[in-house]
Amino acid sequence: MNQLAIVLDFGGQYSHLIARNVRDCGVYCEVIPYTVPIETLLAKNPMAIILTGGPNSVYAEGEPTYAKELLDAKIPLLGISYGAKLIAQLAGGKVKAMPAGEIGNFEMSLSKTPVFEGLGGKVFCRISNEDFIAEMPSGFEVIGKTESCPHAAIMDAERKIYAFQGLPLEEQAEFSKTILQNFLIKIAGLKGDWAMAGYVEKTVAELREKIGDRRVLCALSGGVDSTVAAVMVHKAVGDKLSCIFVDHGLMRKDEGDMVMKMCREKFNMNVVRVNAQERFLEKLSGVTEPEEKRKIIGEEFIRVFEEEAKKIGSVDFFVQGTIYPDVIESGAGGSAVIKSHHNVGGLPDVIDFKEIIEPLRMLFKDEVRRAGLELGIDEEIVWRQPFPGPGLAIRIIGEITKEKLDIVREADAIFREEVKKGGYEGKINQYFAALTNMRSVGVKGDSRTYDYAVALRAVITNDFMTADFARIPYEILEKTSTRIVNEVPHVNRVLYDVTAKPPSTVELE
Ligand code: XMP
């Protein structure tokens, strides 16, 4: 068992990010909502607890709070933003509305104390609260102040309780990582024993023990999560695992072949590939509305999968590639989570199985990738950018035809190749080609053409909820454009999308 830290979530927008940063310090952590009773929390035996930010004022009626006993539970505590003010209030201090409102980046002067080891005497700190710790709780001392916030960082060294009103988690991640590292390792005494190699080994052994001689089924979508989940289960039980890969013909160039080749040749896995391209095209014929496309693809996927699963017969376990952010979002822990994913996937209703297995349930996306590498999955499969379930169907505006799919697939492959050659692959979060339903006049040789316009889209984003367009060098765009109009038939124009999300979205549909 790894040593545990808990991120007690008060609803702040950075709770996931804090948890990921904690894991980056080599400390296993779980995100638990503040509604969990203190007895349940302590029964987990955490060695440190981080109280997160939240959207509210701690002194207002009905706002999230926590049992005061937490302060005397002899567990090191670190409160950030809302969590800091809650600690101050629970400890007997006073939190009030800030007279001027301190929102933005401020210089904070730091005292010399172990939690700040490795930092200078002054750092910039993002503070985004309208409240501040106006009166100090007894037993605490000030270790950081800004011009208008005299108690910006406070501690009770004896009880190992720390409260920071602002902690830059995004803009100056190094600063926050240093503090987290100091708090977790130096102060709370955690060993930092969380590593992917250990996780993979332990999970494989647990899966082997649990599954034994029984049969397992996995729907391999070709994406990173389901591929890593399948390979992990295969490592545990080999031929007891059967995978079904529904090829709907809407994947990127060579993607399906690449995943199949790896599963079959490298890992010798038992995979049925269903070539359902024609079937999907037929169902999508004449459909132009994006949501309808999504619905048709989802339903058809289930139908094809069901037919194949019937051939395999009844199984004991069904593998899903659920990852930790899905778990946190659907309510953090508890059996209700399994149910919601049960339903979201839609699949479990149509096949006969006894239990779901989710080997990646506790991993963040970057940890899934590292687990994949640990399992020996090829780098180019593990590091692929996100790709939507409905695939190229939502990257073709309007009706989908085989000709349009070929155009967008080829154009996309060229764009990805040029971004990679230009060294921009790791600098952009998602990039692809889409096909507009616009045709326009061009000229080729001495002839007039009337052909399609391809749109290139590339975005920079942290969470895909908002995004900015990527400032890709013109040279890369120029090469991509030249190659697309020369190599892809029926395209005479290439456009680059320079809108942010909002008001646009990442995908064109
Ligand atoms: P949007 O277009 O909503 O995209 O700004 C945000 C992120 O979500 C992905 N996306 C989807 N993923 N099924 C998926 O599995 C979908 O229907 C879908 N629509 C958008 C998109 O690729 C981007 O990463």
Side-chain angles (χ1 to χ4, degrees):
M1 265 284 263
N2 289 99
Q3 295 178 326
L4 172 73
I6 281 178
V7 173
L8 194 56
D9 185 7
F10 287 88
Q13 64 186 120
Y14 294 120
S15 304
H16 288 207
L17 200 55
I18 294 171
R20 273 186 39 203
N21 285 352
V22 171
R23 295 236 185 135
D24 279 348
C25 294
V27 172
Y28 178 68
C29 71
E30 291 181 13
V31 180
I32 308 276
Y34 75 93
T35 45
V36 163
I38 185 163
E39 299 75 29
T40 317
L41 185 75
L42 299 183
K44 285 181 153 282
N45 242 340
M47 285 186 63
I49 298 176
I50 297 172
L51 291 79
T52 74
N56 318 297
S57 269
V58 285
Y59 48 80
E61 191 77 26
E63 294 298 6
T65 184
Y66 210 72
K68 210 168 145 183
E69 291 74 33
L70 185 65
L71 302 182
D72 292 312
K74 298 200 163 53
I75 299 170
L77 303 180
L78 170 65
I80 300 166
S81 190
Y82 186 86
K85 284 168 282 179
L86 184 62
I87 284 178
Q89 184 169 282
L90 292 175
K94 266 224 148 42
V95 176
K96 289 186 180 160
M98 188 99 80
E102 183 154 332
I103 296 178
N105 288 334
F106 292 88
E107 197 174 53
M108 179 154 77
S109 31
L110 309 177
S111 305
K112 260 198 159 353
T113 172
V115 80
F116 291 142
E117 210 176 289
L119 299 169
K122 282 187 191 301
V123 286
F124 269 94
C125 172
R126 178 155 189 85
I127 295 191
S128 57
N129 24 109
E130 275 134 33
D131 297 332
F132 75 125
I133 301 170
E135 287 173 32
M136 288 283 284
S138 68
F140 279 75
E141 61 182 290
V142 176
I143 52 171
K145 49 179 105 174
T146 68
E147 205 176 305
S148 58
C149 212
H151 315 131
I154 63 175
M155 75 166 174
D156 174 340
E158 205 178 308
R159 288 192 289 179
K160 298 186 178 173
I161 302 179
Y162 297 79
F164 299 122
Q165 285 215 59
L167 191 59
L169 284 154
E170 234 177 342
E171 291 80 0
Q172 299 172 49
E174 284 314 310
F175 167 32
S176 63
K177 273 205 187 131
T178 305
I179 292 182
L180 277 180
Q181 182 91 20
N182 288 339
F183 170 71
L184 295 164
I185 311 290
K186 293 208 174 81
I187 291 159
L190 282 140
K191 286 191 296 217
D193 57 0
W194 170 248
M196 267 315 112
Y199 178 84
V200 169
E201 205 178 310
K202 180 174 134 269
T203 312
V204 166
E206 282 168 4
L207 288 169
R208 194 172 290 142
E209 169 86 28
K210 182 179 180 131
I211 298 167
D213 258 353
R214 291 178 289 174
R215 299 187 66 194
V216 195
L217 181 64
C218 178
L220 202 58
S221 73
V224 176
D225 301 342
S226 76
T227 307
V228 175
V231 172
M232 200 181 266
V233 174
H234 178 259
K235 185 156 190 207
V237 299
D239 275 355
K240 297 281 167 248
L241 172 72
S242 304
C243 300
I244 297 175
F245 172 61
V246 177
D247 185 352
H248 50 27
L250 305 167
M251 270 179 295
R252 286 168 288 201
K253 191 177 179 183
D254 299 333
E255 193 166 32
D257 294 344
M258 193 168 76
V259 173
M260 269 320 90
K261 191 163 181 278
M262 188 204 64
C263 286
R264 285 182 175 153
E265 291 175 20
K266 185 164 186 177
F267 293 109
N268 202 12
M269 288 164 73
N270 194 353
V271 190
V272 178
R273 178 179 190 159
V274 193
N275 293 318
Q277 297 91 325
E278 296 297 326
R279 225 174 127 156
F280 276 84
L281 262 185
E282 212 168 284
K283 285 276 168 190
L284 288 165
S285 154
V287 178
T288 54
E289 213 279 315
E291 287 314 304
E292 203 185 337
K293 287 182 185 173
R294 284 185 168 84
K295 200 164 146 259
I296 290 172
I297 293 165
E299 278 171 7
E300 197 58 17
F301 187 90
I302 291 172
R303 216 153 288 147
V304 176
F305 184 83
E306 183 183 23
E307 285 168 20
E308 288 306 315
K310 270 192 189 139
K311 292 182 196 159
I312 290 175
S314 81
V315 292
D316 299 284
F317 301 97
F318 180 71
V319 182
Q320 271 192 325
T322 316
I323 69 171
Y324 200 41
D326 307 329
V327 175
I328 304 175
E329 254 139 47
S330 46
S335 52
V337 175
I338 295 174
K339 261 205 158 146
S340 76
H341 279 278
H342 214 103
N343 297 335
V344 171
L347 291 169
D349 290 342
V350 298
I351 53 162
D352 188 16
F353 71 97
K354 295 192 189 76
E355 208 182 315
I356 288 185
I357 291 185
E358 296 171 307
L360 313 177
R361 205 181 146 70
M362 297 318 283
L363 302 186
F364 285 104
K365 190 80 184 189
D366 48 332
E367 294 173 326
V368 171
R369 296 191 203 274
R370 278 190 273 139
L373 293 176
E374 199 60 48
L375 286 160
I377 299 177
D378 303 348
E379 297 239 355
E380 56 174 336
I381 292 181
V382 162
W383 288 110
R384 273 173 307 161
Q385 49 167 321
F387 186 63
L392 301 178
I394 56 167
R395 292 181 179 172
I396 292 171
I397 297 177
E399 190 184 356
I400 298 158
T401 61
K402 182 161 183 317
E403 181 195 42
K404 288 182 181 175
L405 275 170
D406 289 342
I407 293 175
V408 77
R409 200 180 283 118
E410 289 305 317
D412 182 69
I414 291 171
F415 187 33
R416 285 189 287 132
E417 211 177 296
E418 290 305 324
V419 166
K420 187 174 179 179
K421 272 196 220 152
Y424 256 67
E425 201 178 20
K427 297 182 187 161
I428 316 171
N429 301 98
Q430 199 172 6
Y431 54 100
F432 54 87
L435 189 61
T436 71
N437 59 354
M438 178 186 93
R439 291 211 277 171
S440 63
V441 173
V443 57
K444 193 167 193 179
D446 290 332
S447 321
R448 172 188 183 277
T449 57
Y450 190 64
D451 273 328
Y452 287 109
V454 160
L456 304 177
R457 179 78 165 137
V459 296
I460 308 283
T461 172
N462 279 317
D463 54 7
F464 294 92
M465 304 294 281
T466 61
D468 196 4
F469 76 89
R471 271 61 171 173
I472 292 187
Y474 277 148
E475 293 71 31
I476 296 178
L477 293 176
E478 186 187 345
K479 275 195 190 135
T480 305
S481 159
T482 309
R483 280 192 58 195
I484 289 176
V485 290
N486 280 305
E487 296 173 32
V488 186
H490 307 299
V491 179
N492 66 359
R493 203 172 286 273
V494 177
L495 314 168
Y496 187 56
D497 186 341
V498 291
T499 30
K501 172 184 177 178
S504 278
T505 51
V506 175
E507 301 291 346
L508 270 67
E509 281 200 337

